[in-house]
Structures are given as structure tokens and as C-alpha cells.
Amino acid sequence: MTQTPTPLRSAWIARLGLAVLVAGAIALLAFVATVPLDVVHQLLFSAVVFGIALCLRNRESRLVPLILMALSLVMSTRYMWWRLTETLGFGSLVDLTLGMGLVAAEVYAYLVLVLGYFQVAWPLNRAPVPLPEDRAQWPTVDVLIPTYNEPLSVVRTTILAATVLDWPADKLNIYLLDDGRREEFRAFCEQVGVHYVTRTNNNHAKAGNINAALKKSHGEFVAVFDCDHVPTRSFLQMSMGGFLRDDKLAVVQTPHYFFSADPFERNLGTFGKVPNEGELFYGLLQDGNDLWDATFFCGSCTVLRRAPLEAIGGVAVETVTEDAHTAIRLHKAGWRSAYIPIPQAAGLATESLSAHVGQRIRWARGMAQILRVDNPLLTKGLRFVQRLCYTNAMLHFFYGLPRIIFLTAPLAYLFFGAHVIHASALMILSYALPHILQANLTNVRVQGRHRHLLWNEVYETTLAWYILRPTLMAVINPKLGKFNVTAKGGLVERSYFDAQIARPYLLLLLLNVTGIVVGIVRLVMADTGGESNTIWLNLGWTLYNTIMLGAVIATSSEQRQIRRSHRVPLSMPAVLHLADGRALPCRTLNFSTGGMAVRLDAPEPLQPGTDASIELTNRNRSKHLPVVIRHDRDASGISLQFGELDLEQERWLVTCTFARADIWVQLWGRHDRDTLLRSFGDVFKASLRGFHRLGRFITSGGRRSDAAPPRTGDSA
């Protein structure tokens, strides 16, 4: 009989406790949220609730986030009840049209807030399950690495890392799935000793590529890596144990970690300082989904059990987010999934904002397609909690229209005098401000180490315009659109302002700045008719939108990225051997595929251009790699460039660097907890930089003579 895994027992206990808690909370919430209060009592009630939250927010207890979520839901539900029952008295067609648009956006935001709290109520934080000591009991695994048009310089590190996975050689087969059908890839695979697989067509893109490979491989399990995601040696040992303990487990997902800066991080200067866009999902949401058995396959850094995958017809091909769609089908068939929140691979982020936007468009379109063709709320086989988790994941990508509504809503009053909320400014503040502050305070505590609050506003505002049309069109006709490959390994040779991608936000910025001018003129020169408070309220809202748009403009100012090989921090002992026989003990500072920086234990002047070798040790084995001393950075800091490496030397370099899990674990989730004031200050500074860069672009007459579009090598 299969033993029930400890993580599953813990999950069921937590689910039962949460179910009881939620049932009582809903009954209490329904009462508290609907009690009518005047302005004074509403403000007093809000102050008490906020004071309780402030007292609790820094206490180290797993119950505190739940209490904060409950308090936030009280204030947000009060606000929505008030909005829907007391503020919809529209006096004109303009008021009705614009007002209903704002209400719809607020209802959407409220639903996402509630479902988001549900998702992350109790992150499971699953630990890896140990494997049997007898390696004969370990199963066979096929490692699949799909590629299409990425350059070999990007793919070879992943292939080499796969060849040093800590798994019995007779139970491991590695397949490069080349939809580009390139001879240099075939030759490299033969040289390295991995299987090279092609097909006669490119039907269904990545999903079709994997499905074709399933017919040519036979392992009990399948590990999938995007061709730029370099696995660590411990990947399989960390992820396979759960399968042997639970015979209904079909998917084990690990985080996607990126060792290069994405366009937001590079253009805003936040790399390593602020969590990137994906860290919330892999650092918190997937871990939260795991409690509800709703973790889903993310296309890479994943292991799947072959039998259930083949039983559902392979990887789903009906949508362009084949991974999430495949997970839904596995869950519908009664299989389970798991998430191990420990990075066991690292990859390259997109280099340019345009490529990043293109990738997110595909994700948004695919999630909208799933909502149409396999709606988790309506499809058979999913449990109720799984339906909620999947629905929230899909609803998230519909934020395009609500974001744009929030960016323009105050202009309706400033430009046209339209009352989109039929209530006094003081009454609006008494309900809206507690709702916003309480939600932000809660999210700072819940998400603080994985997403900094206002940066989320910047990310979503930047993408809002571009995901709006694809999501709406996919709902209307899910067959529209096609899979697009995200370019990796490219260069941005010169800084430039991407006016094309910034165009919609330049228009929104112009509208908001004009709205501020109109509002000020109305305050100073016109008869406000007793509505000065309403003007001030809409001016404040418009000013906030302007600050956000300034930060969005900063993301559109592409900064140089001229490194073909990205540097990664690494501290480990090494020995620098000189041609005269001297051996200089040192410690590495960072590395890349092209070179390494070291600090000598004892200062020693060295001549740039000198040939040498660096001795790297791993697991009591050492090898020498040829290097050239390029720059004597200070008395003990040396920059080294690797010489011509043979295949085994290159494999050893990967073994000692990219394939070490401790590197990515040390860099993962190490950000300080966010605060409201610090977040606003950082975004405000980014906004000022955006206006400065926009000013330079305007004063240059919109010329791009100092600019060059991003190069992506062989990538499309």
C-alpha cells in the first residue's frame, strides 16, 4: 500500500482548518461589511482596524498573515458593498458609461484580491523527499531540451549541465529537440554524447516538439528544460523522491530563476535590489497553490511522470500556454502535482522590453484561450479549490483594461465634470482609503520578500496596453494567435528610447498632465460650485497616475546590454597558476562562460596579457583551465578571460559553476521586506528618471541617431 506523504497529510490538516476558519469568517464578514455607518463612524472604525493591523504586521507567526487578510477583506468588502449599493446613481449617459466602467474594474480588482488571498493563505513550503539509498530503485529519466532558433552559445551550457546531473548513467538519457534542424547542433550532440532529435515539421511549436520526442524516448519520467535553463547537478535528486513516495504524483515543478537582468531590472536599475516580475509567482503563488494541489507545469525546470502524460494525449496543443493547460488536464484526470520552492536551475531573462512584452502577450493570450476551451470553473474533474486557483491565474492576465480605466478615470471629472462615483469626496475617502491602505499593508506583509508593492503597479501598467487586445480577442476566438519564441542571448549595443513601445503611455501621460493643468485652472480661476474637495481628490489620483506613468516611461528607455556572457557572483577557493611555476591561492568573485574575476589571498602585481591557468576544485577533484590575465583591478583583484577550452574543460567549468545549486539558493529570495514609504520613494525616483529620459528624447527631436535596436543573434 502506498504510504501517504507527510506533505499531503500536512496539506489536508491545513485545508480542514482553513475551511472551518473561512466558513466562520464569511458569516462574520457578511455582517460587518454591510453595517451602514456615517463618515465619522466609518473613519473611526477604519482607524481601529488599521491600528490593529499595524500592531500585528511585524509579529512572526503564520497566523498573522491570515488575520491581516481577514482585516483587509473587511475593509475591501465594506468598500465594494458601499460602492454597489450607494454610489451608482448616475445622472447622465456620460456618468453611466464611465461610471459603470470604473465599477467593473473595481469588481475585477476585488475578485483578484480575494482569490489572491485564498491562493497564498498557507504556503506549503514542501521539502524534497529523500531517495532510497539503493540506486537500483531509482527510475529511468529522459531529459528533454527543446530548441528552435536559439544560438548554440546559449544552448551548449544547458546541454553540458544535463550531462553532469547526479543520476545513474544507465538510467539517464538526454535529448536535444531541435526544431531548427541545424547541422552544428547535431555535431555538438554527437561530440557531447546526447541524443539529437528532429522532426519533419514544426507543428504546435514547443508542445509538438516535446510530443514528438515522447514517441522516441522511453524513460519512466521526463524532465523538461528550456534550452537556456541550466540545471544543477542535484536537480533530479531534489525532485524525484516524491514520485517514489506517491504513485499519483504526476508533476514536480521547481522555480524559474534568472541570473541575468530582465528589461525592467536593467532599465530601472533594480537588478538584485528589487524582486523581479516572476519572483512573486515562483516564490509565493506556486507555493500557495501547492497546498490546494493546484501547482501547475510551467514548461521548464519540471519533471513529469510519463504514463499520465501519455494517457492525456501528451502536452496540450490547443493553446499557446501548453504547460498550464497540460497541468489542468492532469489534475482533471485525478493526478497530483507538487512544488519544491528551491531553485534547481537558472536561465536567461529577455534582453529587450519589446521581447519581454511579446513573451507576456503569449502568456496572456494562452491563459485567455484556456478560459475558453477548458474553463476551470466549468470543466469536469477539478476540485473546487483547484478551480479557484486556476481561475485566479487566468483572471490575472485580464488586468489590461482595468489598469487603463484606473489611469483615466479621474480625467472623466476633470475634463467633463462626469461623476463616476456619486458620493462626496469625504465619503469616498472614508471608504476607499481604508480599503487601499489595508490591502497594501497586508500585501507588504504577505508578499514583501517576493514583490515590492508599487513596482507591481509599474510592471502591470507597462504591460496593460499590450495584453488588452490579445486577451479580449482570445476570449472571442481562441484560435487566433500563434506561439512565438522568446529571444534570448541577445545584445542591446547602445542605449535608446523605445518610442514605439512607449507610444500608448506617452498618450496617457499627456492626458494625465493635461488633466492636472485643467484641474488647477478650475481650482484657481473657475467657480467650483462647492466641489473643490472633489477636484482635489481627482487631482491627487491623477498625480499618482502621472508618477506611475513616469516610471513606465523609464522602462521604455533601453539601457546598454553588451555582455554576451552574464556575470554571476560566486565565492569559492581556487588557485591561479602562472607560467613561471608560481601557484597563487585566490578566491573567485564572479564567473561567466567567458571569464572569471578572482581576488588573490596575498597581493601580487600581475601583467595584463599574461597566460596562466585557474585550478577549480569540486568534490575533491581538480582541473586546470587556461586563462589570460586581462585586467589587474587592484592589488589583489584580477579579471581573467578563459582561453580555448576543450570539451572536458568546458564541462568542468559548468560543473564547478552553473551546475552548483548553492549559487542559486543563496541568490534566491534574499530581498529585504518591502515598506510602503520605501516602495513609493523608489518608484518616485524611477519616475523622475523617466521624465528626464523623455526630456532628452524630445530635445533631440525624437532622433535615434545614438541608438541601435537590440541584437538577438540567431534568435527571432
Side-chain angles (χ1 to χ4, degrees), residues 46 51 53 130 151 268 322 357 394 396 404 439 459 502 623 682:
S46 302
L268 296 171
E322 73 291 331
V357 167
M394 292 166 196
H396 166 75
I404 292 172
Y459 296 148
K623 284 190 179 182
D682 290 344

PDB file of all heavy atoms in Angstrom, residues 46 51 53 130 151 268 322 357 394 396 404 439 459 502 623 682:
ATOM      1  N   SER A  46     -12.407  52.434  10.652  1.00  0.00           N
ATOM      2  CA  SER A  46     -11.243  52.178   9.803  1.00  0.00           C
ATOM      3  C   SER A  46      -9.947  52.384  10.572  1.00  0.00           C
ATOM      4  O   SER A  46      -8.991  51.615  10.425  1.00  0.00           O
ATOM      5  CB  SER A  46     -11.268  53.096   8.581  1.00  0.00           C
ATOM      6  OG  SER A  46     -12.451  52.912   7.832  1.00  0.00           O
ATOM      7  N   GLY A  51      -5.184  50.287  12.982  1.00  0.00           N
ATOM      8  CA  GLY A  51      -4.310  50.247  14.147  1.00  0.00           C
ATOM      9  C   GLY A  51      -3.998  48.825  14.579  1.00  0.00           C
ATOM     10  O   GLY A  51      -2.851  48.498  14.926  1.00  0.00           O
ATOM     11  N   ALA A  53      -3.985  46.232  12.616  1.00  0.00           N
ATOM     12  CA  ALA A  53      -3.093  45.686  11.590  1.00  0.00           C
ATOM     13  C   ALA A  53      -1.659  46.167  11.787  1.00  0.00           C
ATOM     14  O   ALA A  53      -0.703  45.391  11.640  1.00  0.00           O
ATOM     15  CB  ALA A  53      -3.598  46.070  10.202  1.00  0.00           C
ATOM     16  N   PRO A 130      13.614  12.405   0.363  1.00  0.00           N
ATOM     17  CA  PRO A 130      14.858  11.660   0.094  1.00  0.00           C
ATOM     18  C   PRO A 130      14.614  10.450  -0.803  1.00  0.00           C
ATOM     19  O   PRO A 130      13.566   9.793  -0.722  1.00  0.00           O
ATOM     20  CB  PRO A 130      15.322  11.229   1.491  1.00  0.00           C
ATOM     21  CG  PRO A 130      14.606  12.136   2.452  1.00  0.00           C
ATOM     22  CD  PRO A 130      13.301  12.472   1.793  1.00  0.00           C
ATOM     23  N   PRO A 151      20.787  30.457 -30.423  1.00  0.00           N
ATOM     24  CA  PRO A 151      22.157  30.152 -30.856  1.00  0.00           C
ATOM     25  C   PRO A 151      22.779  29.054 -30.003  1.00  0.00           C
ATOM     26  O   PRO A 151      22.422  28.860 -28.835  1.00  0.00           O
ATOM     27  CB  PRO A 151      22.889  31.485 -30.666  1.00  0.00           C
ATOM     28  CG  PRO A 151      22.103  32.235 -29.640  1.00  0.00           C
ATOM     29  CD  PRO A 151      20.677  31.820 -29.854  1.00  0.00           C
ATOM     30  N   LEU A 268      15.526  50.079 -15.131  1.00  0.00           N
ATOM     31  CA  LEU A 268      15.215  50.808 -13.903  1.00  0.00           C
ATOM     32  C   LEU A 268      16.335  50.729 -12.877  1.00  0.00           C
ATOM     33  O   LEU A 268      16.255  51.362 -11.820  1.00  0.00           O
ATOM     34  CB  LEU A 268      13.921  50.258 -13.280  1.00  0.00           C
ATOM     35  CG  LEU A 268      12.648  50.438 -14.113  1.00  0.00           C
ATOM     36  CD1 LEU A 268      11.492  49.670 -13.491  1.00  0.00           C
ATOM     37  CD2 LEU A 268      12.298  51.916 -14.245  1.00  0.00           C
ATOM     38  N   GLU A 322       0.906  25.857 -23.350  1.00  0.00           N
ATOM     39  CA  GLU A 322       0.716  24.415 -23.301  1.00  0.00           C
ATOM     40  C   GLU A 322       0.975  23.836 -21.916  1.00  0.00           C
ATOM     41  O   GLU A 322       0.396  22.812 -21.537  1.00  0.00           O
ATOM     42  CB  GLU A 322       1.632  23.737 -24.333  1.00  0.00           C
ATOM     43  CG  GLU A 322       3.120  23.702 -23.993  1.00  0.00           C
ATOM     44  CD  GLU A 322       3.809  25.049 -24.017  1.00  0.00           C
ATOM     45  OE1 GLU A 322       3.377  25.925 -24.781  1.00  0.00           O
ATOM     46  OE2 GLU A 322       4.791  25.219 -23.272  1.00  0.00           O
ATOM     47  N   VAL A 357       7.679  42.073 -23.603  1.00  0.00           N
ATOM     48  CA  VAL A 357       6.253  42.303 -23.846  1.00  0.00           C
ATOM     49  C   VAL A 357       5.683  41.203 -24.726  1.00  0.00           C
ATOM     50  O   VAL A 357       4.586  40.685 -24.485  1.00  0.00           O
ATOM     51  CB  VAL A 357       6.036  43.690 -24.477  1.00  0.00           C
ATOM     52  CG1 VAL A 357       4.618  43.824 -25.018  1.00  0.00           C
ATOM     53  CG2 VAL A 357       6.308  44.793 -23.452  1.00  0.00           C
ATOM     54  N   MET A 394      -5.775  32.767 -14.409  1.00  0.00           N
ATOM     55  CA  MET A 394      -6.229  33.257 -15.713  1.00  0.00           C
ATOM     56  C   MET A 394      -6.799  34.664 -15.629  1.00  0.00           C
ATOM     57  O   MET A 394      -6.548  35.496 -16.496  1.00  0.00           O
ATOM     58  CB  MET A 394      -7.258  32.281 -16.290  1.00  0.00           C
ATOM     59  CG  MET A 394      -6.624  30.955 -16.646  1.00  0.00           C
ATOM     60  SD  MET A 394      -7.803  29.636 -16.936  1.00  0.00           S
ATOM     61  CE  MET A 394      -6.709  28.224 -16.837  1.00  0.00           C
ATOM     62  N   HIS A 396      -5.854  36.951 -13.726  1.00  0.00           N
ATOM     63  CA  HIS A 396      -4.749  37.897 -13.575  1.00  0.00           C
ATOM     64  C   HIS A 396      -4.384  38.560 -14.891  1.00  0.00           C
ATOM     65  O   HIS A 396      -4.084  39.757 -14.934  1.00  0.00           O
ATOM     66  CB  HIS A 396      -3.530  37.172 -13.001  1.00  0.00           C
ATOM     67  CG  HIS A 396      -2.262  37.960 -13.115  1.00  0.00           C
ATOM     68  ND1 HIS A 396      -1.983  39.039 -12.307  1.00  0.00           N
ATOM     69  CD2 HIS A 396      -1.212  37.855 -13.970  1.00  0.00           C
ATOM     70  CE1 HIS A 396      -0.805  39.547 -12.652  1.00  0.00           C
ATOM     71  NE2 HIS A 396      -0.322  38.853 -13.665  1.00  0.00           N
ATOM     72  N   ILE A 404      -6.034  50.439 -17.421  1.00  0.00           N
ATOM     73  CA  ILE A 404      -6.220  51.629 -18.245  1.00  0.00           C
ATOM     74  C   ILE A 404      -7.396  52.452 -17.726  1.00  0.00           C
ATOM     75  O   ILE A 404      -7.358  53.697 -17.735  1.00  0.00           O
ATOM     76  CB  ILE A 404      -6.413  51.223 -19.722  1.00  0.00           C
ATOM     77  CG1 ILE A 404      -5.096  50.633 -20.258  1.00  0.00           C
ATOM     78  CG2 ILE A 404      -6.840  52.413 -20.571  1.00  0.00           C
ATOM     79  CD1 ILE A 404      -5.202  50.016 -21.621  1.00  0.00           C
ATOM     80  N   ALA A 439      -5.308  46.845   2.183  1.00  0.00           N
ATOM     81  CA  ALA A 439      -4.845  45.853   1.205  1.00  0.00           C
ATOM     82  C   ALA A 439      -3.342  45.969   0.984  1.00  0.00           C
ATOM     83  O   ALA A 439      -2.629  44.951   0.912  1.00  0.00           O
ATOM     84  CB  ALA A 439      -5.597  46.036  -0.114  1.00  0.00           C
ATOM     85  N   TYR A 459       5.070  47.288 -13.316  1.00  0.00           N
ATOM     86  CA  TYR A 459       5.094  46.151 -14.228  1.00  0.00           C
ATOM     87  C   TYR A 459       3.777  46.020 -14.990  1.00  0.00           C
ATOM     88  O   TYR A 459       3.751  45.914 -16.224  1.00  0.00           O
ATOM     89  CB  TYR A 459       5.342  44.848 -13.452  1.00  0.00           C
ATOM     90  CG  TYR A 459       6.671  44.743 -12.748  1.00  0.00           C
ATOM     91  CD1 TYR A 459       6.798  44.035 -11.562  1.00  0.00           C
ATOM     92  CD2 TYR A 459       7.814  45.337 -13.272  1.00  0.00           C
ATOM     93  CE1 TYR A 459       8.017  43.926 -10.905  1.00  0.00           C
ATOM     94  CE2 TYR A 459       9.028  45.235 -12.625  1.00  0.00           C
ATOM     95  CZ  TYR A 459       9.129  44.533 -11.439  1.00  0.00           C
ATOM     96  OH  TYR A 459      10.326  44.424 -10.790  1.00  0.00           O
ATOM     97  N   ALA A 502       6.644  52.824 -26.176  1.00  0.00           N
ATOM     98  CA  ALA A 502       6.163  53.788 -25.174  1.00  0.00           C
ATOM     99  C   ALA A 502       4.979  54.605 -25.670  1.00  0.00           C
ATOM    100  O   ALA A 502       4.376  55.342 -24.883  1.00  0.00           O
ATOM    101  CB  ALA A 502       7.306  54.727 -24.784  1.00  0.00           C
ATOM    102  N   LYS A 623      40.738  20.494 -11.769  1.00  0.00           N
ATOM    103  CA  LYS A 623      41.186  20.586 -13.152  1.00  0.00           C
ATOM    104  C   LYS A 623      41.668  22.003 -13.412  1.00  0.00           C
ATOM    105  O   LYS A 623      41.187  22.962 -12.793  1.00  0.00           O
ATOM    106  CB  LYS A 623      40.056  20.231 -14.131  1.00  0.00           C
ATOM    107  CG  LYS A 623      39.764  18.743 -14.220  1.00  0.00           C
ATOM    108  CD  LYS A 623      38.826  18.422 -15.377  1.00  0.00           C
ATOM    109  CE  LYS A 623      38.570  16.918 -15.450  1.00  0.00           C
ATOM    110  NZ  LYS A 623      37.693  16.566 -16.597  1.00  0.00           N
ATOM    111  N   ASP A 682      11.182  54.778  -4.065  1.00  0.00           N
ATOM    112  CA  ASP A 682      11.941  54.193  -5.177  1.00  0.00           C
ATOM    113  C   ASP A 682      11.223  54.406  -6.513  1.00  0.00           C
ATOM    114  O   ASP A 682      11.856  54.720  -7.526  1.00  0.00           O
ATOM    115  CB  ASP A 682      12.153  52.701  -4.933  1.00  0.00           C
ATOM    116  CG  ASP A 682      13.127  52.434  -3.795  1.00  0.00           C
ATOM    117  OD1 ASP A 682      13.852  53.364  -3.408  1.00  0.00           O
ATOM    118  OD2 ASP A 682      13.145  51.295  -3.281  1.00  0.00           O
TER     119      ASP A 682
END
